Amino acid sequence: MADTQVDEKQAAKAERRAARLAKQIGHFAQEHGGAEGQVAYLGQRGARIVLVGEDGGWGDLVAPSHAIALSAVEKAGITVHEDFDGEFAAKVKTGRYEWSRMAGIQLGGPKNG
């Protein structure tokens, strides 16, 4: 009986977390004229939800598990891609900051900080 209560509490906690993530996804979609996403497994850390808005804006969220991430994107009602490539990746718009930051990560680029 105690195991059942623990399972129910964990399920309720996961449901609340998925609902909060779905709300954040919804806000992102509203700010960017809609959104699409991709869920990437991060190992024990959980899963990353990468979001790309219709305007090219992008961002990400981290969920404590892959199941919670999938539940969140389903609740948010966005299109979810299997991979971050092709037409989906081409929708991302980057600016000077991103290019400078990426160059800083590579050998010889600016350090940005």
Side-chain angles (χ1 to χ4, degrees):
M1 182 138 143
D3 288 340
T4 304
Q5 288 178 335
V6 169
D7 290 343
E8 288 175 5
K9 284 184 179 181
Q10 289 176 341
K13 185 176 178 180
E15 182 66 26
R16 287 190 304 273
R17 183 66 177 138
R20 281 194 302 271
L21 287 166
K23 189 174 181 179
Q24 290 175 298
I25 293 167
H27 285 297
F28 178 89
Q30 191 173 31
E31 289 177 12
H32 296 277
E36 298 177 44
Q38 191 258 337
V39 177
Y41 180 68
L42 294 175
Q44 289 182 332
R45 173 89 191 198
R48 172 171 278 130
I49 304 167
V50 179
L51 301 169
V52 179
E54 289 300 315
D55 64 357
W58 57 280
D60 67 348
L61 299 166
V62 175
S65 74
H66 197 261
I68 291 173
L70 291 176
S71 177
V73 295
E74 183 179 317
K75 288 177 185 306
I78 64 169
T79 299
V80 180
H81 298 268
E82 290 289 320
D83 297 305
F84 194 82
D85 61 3
E87 288 181 33
F88 180 51
K91 290 182 178 185
V92 175
K93 291 186 180 170
T94 55
R96 292 176 58 110
Y97 171 78
E98 287 85 5
W99 283 102
S100 173
R101 182 78 177 138
M102 287 185 275
I105 293 169
Q106 303 302 316
L107 295 175
K111 300 295 184 219
N112 289 321

